[in-house]
Amino acid sequence: MSAFLGAVALAFQAAPAPMAVLQPAPVYRAPYTASPTAGIADLQRRLEEIAAVPAGDVGISAIDLSTGRQVSVHGSRAFPMASTVKVAIAATYMAEVDAGHRTLATMIPVDYRLRLRADGITAFAPHDGVSLSAANLIELMLTRSDNTATDVLLADLGGPATVEKWLEINHVTGLRVDRTIAQLLLARRGVRVASGSTEAEALRRWEPVTPGSVSENDDERATGSMLTFDQDPRDTATPDGFAIFLKRLYRGELIKPASRDFLFDVMRRCITGSNRIKGMLPAGTNVEHKTGTYATITDDVGYIVLPDGRRIIVTVFTRGGNGPRASIIARASRAIYDSFAATR
């Protein structure tokens, strides 16, 4: 079994560069280039133009961690976090490591009842009998956005209430964590869980985890429930709130520097959403980020490292609208990059 798990871990850790091409590249507008004298006011106007999406909703926040300069568009408006919540889950676990209550080497069984259809555990190890270290679960959760890894780690922590309590204790505002990933997916479908069943098991009717299974078509149900899901105050964040959360992570106020560096290293390997924050940045730009995607929701949050070493926090949340939401995130990120890189 140990050899098998070692092979599984190696498969998970392998550099999956080809995976990024699965996401179609949007048609971008020409990049915004700031003049050397461009200031926050110019950037503010540019971001407001980018955020003006017909029938859509866009929230943007950015902070230069060296100068403290900040820009925001609809920064106090709450948006569904989708998978960006996984940064908060990972940070909560690292706080437990810092306190000596857990370790990254701890082997955690993957309960088959928690399996969800997603790239990662279910794809590479579809059968029961798998245990992975906490470090590998965090790796899968943040680099591949593996929902199974997320709910397994969340269950080990004690559920969403543990993450929410950690946020409250540390006076983190503008974020709230209420449900597991399986519960979020069920909410979109408007499905109730039968007695004696888990949320993940209920989802298998539409999202089977057994190789070769056929899912049912529930487009009509999902579309109707999505209208309510988009406006649900649970599991939401404001762009400003998430940006400040990332600022406090960077400063070592929430977890120790070694734990922060571990998370940043993992986030740098994120393979999802290459057409979002990273989409229009100069080749080779270092980005530590986490995406969120769900039906009409497209998000990306993280850090851009400028050529001079400064880190810029960028949080962009989008929902609805006519047109590619990933393009909005890419254009906003490039505008932020150019403006902050041109001024110090």
Side-chain angles (χ1 to χ4, degrees), residues 3 45 76 108 147 166 239 279 311 315 344:
R45 284 191 293 271
S76 61
I108 302 175
N147 292 332
W166 178 75
R311 267 189 175 84
T315 63
R344 298 186 180 184

Side-chain angles (χ1 to χ4, degrees), residues 323-340:
R325 290 179 293 275
S327 174
I328 295 169
I329 297 174
R331 289 161 54 209
S333 300
R334 182 58 192 250
I336 292 165
Y337 175 96
D338 286 336
S339 180
F340 283 166

